[in-house]
């Protein structure tokens, strides 16, 4: 079977590695866990940034990260069924604003039975 040229294939056969990426993580039971996100169409994707500045601009300055090569990030996400890696995503929803906890008197639950 002839190999498709990059111009003919929407996802080229020859994936060139993006190099070392800044990958957002969170603490997990055995160390750091890479965060997975969703594309605008709802597909799960691993995300990496080519600079710490880009990661902080998108996810906030307090977001923890590790350095991983793009093939390593793919290998990490593959067992979870995630085959897409998004590098330097341009669009993201803003981080949620902190919410002050409600005072105990304001939290009440009333159960009403209807026939």
């Amino acid at each position: 079977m002839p190999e498709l040229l990059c111009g003919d294939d929407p996802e080229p056969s020859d994936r060139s590695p993006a190099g070392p990426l800044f990958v957002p993580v969170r603490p997990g039971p055995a160390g750091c866990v890479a965060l997975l996100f969703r594309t605008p169409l709802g597909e799960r994707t691993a995300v990496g940034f080519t600079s710490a500045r880009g990661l902080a601009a998108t996810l906030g300055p307090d977001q923890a990260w590790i350095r991983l090569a793009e093939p390593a990030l793919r290998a990490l996400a593959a067992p979870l069924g995630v085959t897409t890696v998004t590098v330097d995503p341009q669009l993201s929803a803003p981080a949620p604003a902190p919410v002050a906890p409600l005072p105990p008197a304001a939290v009440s639950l009333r159960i009403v039975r209807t026939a």
Side-chain angles (χ1 to χ4, degrees), residues 48-70:
F49 293 86
T50 54
S51 70
R53 175 179 277 169
L55 183 141
T58 304
L59 300 175
D62 296 330
Q63 176 61 56
W65 53 267
I66 60 171
R67 292 292 302 249
L68 279 179
E70 185 250 346

Side-chain angles (χ1 to χ4, degrees), residues 22-94:
F22 295 84
V23 178
V25 295
R26 65 173 176 79
C32 293
V33 178
L35 295 176
L36 297 177
F37 295 86
R38 293 206 179 263
T39 66
L41 298 176
E43 181 184 351
R44 292 171 63 196
T45 182
V47 172
F49 293 86
T50 54
S51 70
R53 175 179 277 169
L55 183 141
T58 304
L59 300 175
D62 296 330
Q63 176 61 56
W65 53 267
I66 60 171
R67 292 292 302 249
L68 279 179
E70 185 250 346
L73 181 56
R74 282 188 188 280
L76 213 119
L80 302 171
V82 178
T83 58
T84 305
V85 172
T86 303
V87 178
D88 289 333
Q90 298 298 310
L91 301 173
S92 68

